Every structure is written in C-alpha cells, then in structure tokens.
Amino acid sequence: MNTLLLFVLLSLLKVAIVTVILLTSVAYTVLLERKVVGRIQNRWGPSRVGPFGLFQPLADGIKLFLKEDIIPSGVYRPLYLLAPMIALGCALISISVIPFGAALRVHGVDLFQIADLNIGLLVLLAVTSVGVYGIALSGWASNNKYSLMGSVRATAQMISYELALGLSLVGVVLRAGSLRLRDIVNIQSTHGMRSWNIFGGFQFVAFFIYLIAAYAETNRTPFDLPEAETELTGGYHTEYSSMKFAMFFMAEYANMITVGCVATLLFLGGWSSPFGHLLPVIGGPIVQALLPVAWFVAKVFFFLFLYIWVRGTLPRFRYDQLMGFGWKVLMPLALANIIVTSLVLAIRG
Amino acid sequence: MHLVLFLIFAGLCLAGALNLLFQRHPINSALSLIVVMTSLAVLYLLLGAEFLALAQIIVYSGAIMVLFVFVIMLLNVGAEERTHGSRVAYLAGIPGVLALFAILASIFLSLTKNLGSAQLGGFIVSTSDLSRVLFRDLLLPFEVTSVLILVAILGAVVLARKEH
C-alpha cells in the first residue's frame, strides 16, 4: 500500500509539474509569436513590460483574468460553458502520453513521461478527435451566425484533415512495429540523424503530410478559416470573453506544442541527439539525463518557430481549395506513402 | 479496483443511454450518445482490448458522432415535439422488449461454456495479435466487409449527386 501511495503522489507531482511547464510554455509561445511576427512585419513587437517585453505574458494573463465575463443572453448555457473546458481539457490531456527524455525510473516512476502506454500514439489521435467538440459546440451554443459559420467550417476541416493526419502516421508505425511512443523513438536513436524517420526512414512525404494536416487540425495559418477575422469576426469564439476566451486561446497554443512534440517524436527522433554517438560523453549522470531533454526542447522549439514563420509568410486558403487539397492531394499521397513503405518493408523482410 | 471502474463506467453508460432517450433536444441526445460510446470504450479497455477501445473512441466518439453533431448544427434542429405515442407501441412494445431480453439472456446463459468469458483486468490483447487475426485468419470476411462499406459510400454519392 505504501508503494501505491508513493506512486500516486509522485504521479500527481509529475502531472502538476508538466501542466505548469506546459502552461508557461503556452504563455511564452504567445510572446514569441508576437515578437517574431512583429520582426517579420518590420515592427518591434511587445517591448514595454520588462526587459525585451519578457513579462508581457504576465500582463496579458492579469488582463484576461480581470476582464468582465459576459455571457450573452441568447446562448445555450450548458454547452456554452462546457465548450471551452472540452477544448482546453483535450489540449492538456494529450501531453500526458508524450515522453520528453530517455526513460529514467526513480522508485518505479518514469521521470520524463506521465504515462507510458503501449498505444500512446492512438491515445493522441483519440484525444485530438474528441477535441473537435470544443470548437463545434462553442459555435452552435453561442447562437450567433458568425460563430456557427466558424465552427461548421472548423468541424468540416478537422474531420477532413484528421484522415490524412492519421494515415500519414501509419508509415512510422509500420517502421517501428509498435504504437508505443518510446519504441518509435528508440528505433530512431541508433545512428543519430541517419536513423530518424524523416531521413533514414524515408518518411519525408509522411512528414510533410503530417505537418500540413496538423496545421489544419490546429486551425493555424494558412488554414485558419474558422477564425478568419475579415469574414467571420472572431469565428467560433466571437461570443466568448475573459477567461473563457483565454481557454480557447490556451488550447490553440497547447495544441501547437503537442503537434511540435509529436512531430519531433515521430519524425525527428524525439530526444535523441542528431549526432548519434559521435559526440563525446560529457558531464555526470545528471547532465546525461538532461541533455536528451534539451534536444527534445530544441526540436519542439523549431516546430513552434516554423508555425510562427508560416503565419508571418503565407496568406489564407480559400475554403474550397482547402477541402480539395485535403481530400484530393493529401489523402491519396498518404495512402501511396503507406503502400510504398509497406512494400519496401516487406521486401527487406 | 477493476470492478469499481467497471461499475462506474457501466453506470455512466446506462445513464447516458437513458438520458439519450429522455432529452428533448437532439444535440443533448447526441452528446449523451458520445458519453455512451466513450464509456463503452473504457469497458473494452477493462477487458484488455486496448486497440478496440481506442478505435471505438477515434471512430465512434471522434468521427461518427462529430458528423451527427455537425448535421444537427447545420440543420439547426429544434427541440422535438412530444406526442402521446401510439397505443400499439405501448401494448406490444414493452412485453416485446421483455420477451426479447429474456430470450437473449437465456441464450447467453446457456451458451457460456461455448462462448468463453473474458476477465476484468485480465491479459491484454496486443495490437499485433489483433492484426494477425484480422489480416490472416479472417482476411476474406474483413475485406468483404470493407467492400460492403465502399458500396454504401458509392450509393450515397449516387443518391446525393445532382443531375446536370
């Protein structure tokens, strides 16, 4: 019983730490986005609060927290209140299966992962697919035509791109022969960069399909039609204010971080170093345990930067182009990738 | 531990199913159905069928029910109107359901030996075992089923197509 209690306590501690880190990263991703988009557009971005505007997230948080929480009279209350919770809840749950570093057990508790499931990848897909309800219900419950249009668009877009997204991961799963995220990383960490799925695994087509579909899943530019402000005001969160709006906002950025983590784990070798064993072993056991985490964070940072870069560069798709692209280009490509990958694997035995 | 989880989620499943029938607004019914599907997935998980459980959530809760909700949103369906119902349904329906339940229960109870049983929290069916059954032992029925679904999709496309 004592070991069970210890396990539960350590797990709760782990969940709390990961949640705090995730939410802090969300806040600073927003700052990073404002800074980088500012630079791309020849502006400074936030620079007043603290050095380089580093305390801006804190000021934004206080602002959102203290704003008046308005619930419009025409909304369908239960679902209006439930929708942001579903959105943020699903966004936070998906981080629980992601391993951040090489397995390190202390008292039987894995330090760098909340839950090591042997169907971890499927859990990620399941949580993403349930997260659609947050956006779908928010638009409908708001009882506003712009919100409804936004959420109908978002729902159709997410259902369509979920297929390409799921299919693009099959090649990776075939290579690893497992749905466990640690197994998928382990087969990529033998020879440094050469054994990553995107290079040595020849999954670069799958990588680009995953990235494009994930941008659509997270409703980010160039697929941000659900919140296209020129035609839909705010899209599905038009009627939300204060913390409820902030919950959608945090969910979006948490999802971006999750996408970055998944892309890192599945295609860029997770926490493994790009140089394999060429680098000399440095430092004591603590440095050795933290170095993989640093690689992981660097790769996730790259994906977050890419998100922002794309936002600052590309214009928005038209809706029919978006649907046509998803169904007629990405889906067949993903299927072709599965066929080729499985043929190659079968021939090589 | 497993029994407690089973009781919680079986109860949730039944409550969701009842709520599905009693709710007047279609969107509430659809959401109750999602609760039913997801608690069924947890029951699968308790029986050791991990892949099936997640497939249940991805396919039913995540894809099919999203389409239900999508259609309800798109048509903006209002609350349903209550009628008194038909007398035939009352007279034949309730005894019919009871009889059906009794027949099914007696069949399952008499066939327990042949059907075998699964245990709560027993061994886990690995994904590779499942795929071996699907793609080797039962390959033909599996493929025939997928062709059947394809035919249904083609039928829907033909019905929905506009004549030029």
Side-chain angles (χ1 to χ4, degrees):
Chain A
M1 202 59 207
N2 218 352
T3 51
L4 183 71
L5 193 69
L6 191 69
F7 176 77
V8 170
L9 279 178
L10 280 175
S11 300
L12 281 178
L13 188 70
K14 213 159 56 170
V15 171
I17 291 172
V18 170
T19 314
V20 168
I21 292 177
L22 179 64
L23 290 178
T24 317
S25 327
V26 164
Y28 277 91
T29 311
V30 178
L31 178 68
L32 182 76
E33 169 151 31
R34 292 177 66 183
K35 282 295 238 192
V36 173
V37 170
R39 285 314 181 106
I40 289 174
Q41 297 168 348
N42 248 339
R43 300 184 279 112
W44 280 103
S47 60
R48 297 291 133 180
V49 194
F52 310 107
L54 275 178
F55 298 134
Q56 186 69 36
L58 204 68
D60 284 347
I62 293 171
K63 182 194 78 175
L64 280 167
F65 204 74
L66 295 180
K67 268 194 173 178
E68 187 187 357
D69 191 10
I70 301 167
I71 299 181
S73 54
V75 301
Y76 184 60
R77 239 183 121 91
L79 295 186
Y80 177 85
L81 299 179
L82 189 67
M85 292 180 206
I86 297 179
L88 184 61
C90 287
L92 294 183
I93 287 173
S94 40
I95 206 79
S96 63
V97 291
I98 286 172
F100 310 106
L104 185 68
R105 295 190 166 274
V106 175
H107 289 289
V109 174
D110 199 336
L111 277 194
F112 294 127
Q113 186 176 24
I114 292 179
D116 187 10
L117 305 176
N118 43 5
I119 41 167
L121 189 57
L122 284 182
V123 172
L124 275 172
L125 290 178
V127 173
T128 324
S129 65
V130 172
V132 180
Y133 289 112
I135 291 173
L137 294 176
S138 68
W140 184 83
S142 294
N143 201 6
N144 168 328
K145 56 176 177 279
Y146 295 123
S147 302
L148 185 66
M149 288 297 291
S151 74
V152 165
R153 272 186 184 182
T155 315
Q157 172 180 331
M158 288 167 95
I159 300 172
S160 307
Y161 277 77
E162 223 168 67
L163 291 170
L165 186 127
L167 289 176
S168 71
L169 305 181
V170 175
V172 173
V173 176
L174 282 172
R175 256 203 100 217
S178 168
L179 291 165
R180 192 169 157 251
L181 290 166
R182 280 201 183 281
D183 290 344
I184 294 175
V185 174
N186 284 340
I187 67 145
Q188 300 178 68
S189 42
T190 44
H191 296 101
M193 223 192 278
R194 273 185 299 151
S195 49
W196 289 0
N197 270 332
I198 183 175
F199 301 120
F202 296 105
Q203 290 299 317
F204 40 84
V205 179
F207 174 71
F208 285 109
I209 296 169
Y210 174 77
L211 216 57
I212 294 169
Y215 277 41
E217 278 285 301
T218 42
N219 296 322
R220 293 280 304 183
T221 336
F223 304 108
D224 61 343
L225 291 133
E227 37 191 315
E229 64 279 355
T230 39
E231 34 193 303
L232 289 179
T233 351
Y236 55 88
H237 47 55
T238 306
E239 297 289 358
Y240 284 89
S241 54
S242 183
M243 275 318 277
K244 292 199 194 67
F245 168 75
M247 280 163 93
F248 279 116
F249 203 67
M250 290 193 299
E252 182 181 327
Y253 283 85
N255 278 328
M256 278 166 63
I257 293 176
T258 313
V259 164
C261 292
V262 175
T264 304
L265 291 171
L266 298 186
F267 297 102
L268 292 195
W271 57 84
S272 69
S273 140
F275 309 110
H277 302 294
L278 292 177
L279 279 186
V281 178
I282 41 161
I286 294 177
V287 174
Q288 282 302 308
L290 287 180
L291 203 59
V293 182
W295 282 119
F296 183 80
V297 171
K299 290 171 192 174
V300 174
F301 184 83
F302 163 72
F303 281 109
L304 289 177
F305 189 81
L306 194 66
Y307 254 117
I308 298 165
W309 193 2
V310 166
R311 185 189 159 180
T313 313
L314 291 181
R316 196 175 286 139
F317 270 68
R318 214 173 58 210
Y319 197 66
D320 56 321
Q321 291 172 335
L322 168 102
M323 280 296 166
F325 185 65
W327 287 101
K328 293 176 194 160
V329 179
L330 286 187
M331 267 273 281
L333 262 181
L335 286 172
N337 178 61
I338 294 176
I339 294 171
V340 172
T341 309
S342 35
L343 274 179
V344 170
L345 283 175
I347 290 167
R348 283 168 59 185
Chain B
M1 188 69 182
H2 286 103
L3 190 66
V4 174
L5 284 175
F6 174 80
L7 288 175
I8 291 173
F9 283 96
L12 203 61
C13 192
L14 287 178
L18 287 174
N19 196 38
L20 160 73
L21 292 175
F22 291 133
Q23 283 292 336
R24 281 191 167 194
H25 204 287
I27 208 143
N28 291 342
S29 300
L31 292 178
S32 319
L33 194 54
I34 297 166
V35 173
V36 174
M37 304 278 193
T38 313
S39 4
L40 270 182
V42 179
L43 296 188
Y44 291 154
L45 201 59
L46 284 173
L47 290 170
E50 44 171 34
F51 184 81
L52 203 59
L54 267 298
Q56 164 92 6
I57 294 184
I58 294 173
V59 174
Y60 285 96
S61 313
I64 293 180
M65 287 316 297
V66 169
L67 284 177
F68 273 51
V69 171
F70 185 72
V71 169
I72 293 172
M73 271 168 33
L74 204 63
L75 300 179
N76 212 359
V77 194
E80 69 175 300
E81 286 173 20
R82 281 284 148 96
T83 55
H84 287 293
S86 70
R87 183 167 292 176
V88 184
Y90 277 113
L91 287 179
I94 296 169
V97 166
L98 285 178
L100 199 65
F101 180 72
I103 292 170
L104 281 177
S106 67
I107 288 175
F108 279 123
L109 283 177
S110 63
L111 287 180
T112 1
K113 264 185 193 157
N114 300 338
L115 289 173
S117 60
Q119 271 187 337
L120 281 184
F123 71 101
I124 283 177
V125 184
S126 77
T127 313
S128 53
D129 286 343
L130 187 75
S131 52
R132 203 161 291 128
V133 173
L134 269 186
F135 292 105
R136 258 183 214 157
D137 308 347
L138 299 176
L139 182 63
L140 187 67
F142 182 66
E143 294 299 329
V144 170
T145 318
S146 33
V147 171
L148 192 70
I149 295 171
L150 187 68
V151 170
I153 296 173
L154 288 180
V157 170
V158 168
L159 283 177
R161 222 186 69 189
K162 283 185 192 133
E163 292 295 333
H164 290 294

